[in-house]
């Protein structure tokens, strides 16, 4: 009976292992990226370079920990000829206690240092930029001010009801490839979050505050953007598209916006919440009304 139970467990374990192998086998094409979306920006490469070594370290610690647990459970299990008495109990073991105290503290310190370093790089806006885009979040769409070209794109909420062509009505953010973009983020109403998954970077947009970051798109293509902070009834449909294009196509889009009358910038500092005085100055001057103080 014991042998039969053991065989059943072995078969069950083998089945689970087989399913896990198949599942991981379907993800092998992304293993080199740490199972993150392929990075199409400098921020994405930075996050990936932190993510992969971190998981390698965590998995190594997990394997060592589970290995020691299993070894102890097998090696020191109770046997038939044991008299039932407990082994000698140790009150303390200084070398062992130092080992499992110092090593975790050291690991956490290393993780913290690399995380703080990369986080500072991700939110650094002092690097010379090629262009500025003022992003205005609103329930439940987006406005984009192309500050350097003095044109804008305005979006309206598009309910995705399955009708053909609805996605084509979403606002589109154009960016030139290999150009450093500074995003200036503001909200008209509630807390939103500006997220382009392919860039592996997002940032909250808080009413009355001005946030921002810089990014350099490194690959031509069309990517999905969305709000990542629950902001009301139609949060899931607060979507936009990002088109990373060569410089000449970007210039053509700026000219098109100008030709259809979307010249000038949409005022940013008109919102439900009064702007923090210092944060008004972070908004590009052409997009300020100077009235909401």
């Amino acid at each position: 009976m014991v042998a039969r139970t053991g065989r059943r467990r072995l078969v069950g374990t083998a089945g689970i292992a087989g399913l896990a192998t198949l599942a991981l086998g379907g993800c092998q094409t992304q293993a080199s990226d740490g199972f993150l979306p392929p990075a199409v920006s400098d921020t994405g490469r930075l996050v990936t370079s932190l993510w992969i070594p971190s998981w390698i370290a965590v998995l190594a610690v997990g394997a060592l920990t589970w290995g020691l647990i299993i070894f102890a459970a097998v090696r020191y299990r109770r046997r038939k000829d044991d008299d039932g008495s407990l082994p000698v109990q140790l009150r303390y073991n200084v070398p062992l206690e130092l080992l499992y105290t110092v090593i975790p503290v050291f690991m956490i310190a290393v993780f913290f240092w690399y995380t703080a370093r990369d986080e500072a790089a991700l939110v650094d806006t002092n690097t010379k930029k090629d262009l500025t885009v003022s992003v205005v979040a609103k329930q439940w769409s987006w406005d984009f001010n192309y500050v350097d070209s003095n044109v804008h794109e305005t979006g309206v909420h598009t309910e995705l009801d399955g009708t053909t062509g609805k996605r084509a009505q979403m606002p589109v953010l154009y960016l030139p490839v290999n150009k450093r973009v500074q995003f200036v983020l503001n909200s008209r109403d509630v807390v939103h979050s500006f997220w382009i998954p392919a860039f592996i970077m997002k940032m909250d947009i808080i009413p009355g505050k001005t946030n921002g970051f810089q990014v350099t798109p490194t690959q031509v293509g069309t990517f999905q953007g969305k709000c990542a902070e629950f902001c009301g009834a139609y949060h899931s449909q607060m979507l936009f598209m990002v088109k990373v294009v060569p410089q000449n196509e970007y210039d053509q889009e700026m000219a098109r916006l100008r030709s259809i009358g979307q010249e000038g910038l949409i005022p940013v500092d008109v919102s439900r919440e009064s702007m923090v005085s210092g944060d008004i100055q972070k908004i590009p001057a052409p997009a300020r009304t100077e009235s909401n103080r």
Side-chain angles (χ1 to χ4, degrees):
M1 184 67 179
V2 174
R4 186 178 300 173
T5 303
R7 284 197 296 270
R8 287 177 181 173
R9 289 178 180 174
L10 181 61
V11 171
T13 303
I16 294 172
L19 291 174
T21 301
L22 289 174
L24 291 175
C27 302
Q28 283 180 353
T29 55
Q30 296 182 356
S32 60
D33 297 319
F35 303 106
L36 291 175
V40 297
S41 67
D42 59 337
T43 58
R45 289 198 300 266
L46 183 62
V47 172
T48 301
S49 67
L50 176 65
W51 174 265
I52 294 176
S54 299
W55 268 108
I56 290 174
V58 169
L59 289 173
V61 171
L64 176 63
T65 302
W66 278 102
L68 291 173
I69 291 174
I70 294 171
F71 169 77
V74 173
R75 175 65 178 82
Y76 300 106
R77 70 188 185 281
R78 185 174 180 178
R79 293 176 171 80
K80 293 181 180 180
D81 55 352
D82 288 344
D83 59 6
S85 60
L86 293 174
V88 177
Q89 302 296 297
L90 299 177
R91 296 182 59 185
Y92 58 86
N93 185 306
V94 174
L96 187 61
E97 291 181 6
L98 287 175
L99 180 69
Y100 63 62
T101 301
V102 173
I103 290 181
V105 170
F106 175 75
M107 290 185 62
I108 291 171
V110 172
F111 276 125
F112 177 83
W113 188 88
Y114 280 104
T115 301
R117 181 201 65 178
D118 290 352
E119 182 181 359
L122 288 171
V123 299
D124 178 31
T125 56
N126 294 319
T127 305
K128 182 180 178 181
K129 60 186 182 294
D130 295 305
L131 66 149
T132 301
V133 178
S134 168
V135 177
V136 184
K138 58 189 181 183
Q139 293 175 310
W140 288 273
S141 192
W142 306 84
D143 295 333
F144 303 120
N145 284 322
Y146 299 95
V147 177
D148 305 275
S149 300
N150 195 37
V151 295
H152 67 269
E153 173 71 84
T154 183
V156 295
H157 171 237
T158 303
E159 186 172 357
L160 302 180
D161 55 6
T163 306
T164 303
K166 278 295 182 74
R167 284 191 173 273
Q169 300 175 15
M170 292 190 301
V172 181
L173 171 63
Y174 276 80
L175 300 174
V177 68
N178 294 323
K179 299 290 185 178
R180 190 161 188 84
V181 184
Q182 175 153 332
F183 289 113
V184 181
L185 310 175
N186 292 95
S187 171
R188 291 227 184 278
D189 34 54
V190 299
V191 177
H192 299 280
S193 189
F194 182 69
W195 185 27
I196 305 174
F199 289 1
I200 317 184
M201 178 65 183
K202 67 178 178 179
M203 182 170 284
D204 285 352
I205 310 178
I206 302 171
K209 295 285 294 179
T210 300
N211 286 339
F213 65 94
Q214 294 183 354
V215 65
T216 302
T218 57
Q219 181 177 314
V220 171
T222 301
F223 309 100
Q224 181 71 63
K226 59 183 69 178
C227 175
E229 184 74 30
F230 181 69
C231 57
Y234 297 98
H235 158 72
S236 64
Q237 298 180 9
M238 190 170 168
L239 307 172
F240 63 98
M241 300 304 296
V242 181
K243 290 193 174 183
V244 180
V245 297
Q247 183 66 50
N248 64 323
E249 291 187 30
Y250 175 80
D251 294 337
Q252 290 172 11
E253 176 62 17
M254 298 301 102
R256 187 190 72 83
L257 292 174
R258 193 173 293 107
S259 69
I260 62 175
Q262 293 182 199
E263 191 169 6
L265 304 185
I266 299 173
V268 170
D269 53 340
V270 177
S271 63
R272 295 181 190 173
E273 300 288 337
S274 297
M275 289 291 300
V276 176
S277 58
D279 282 40
I280 292 178
Q281 305 307 316
K282 298 177 183 178
I283 299 172
R288 299 183 212 151
T289 64
E290 301 296 333
S291 62
N292 193 347
R293 292 185 179 275

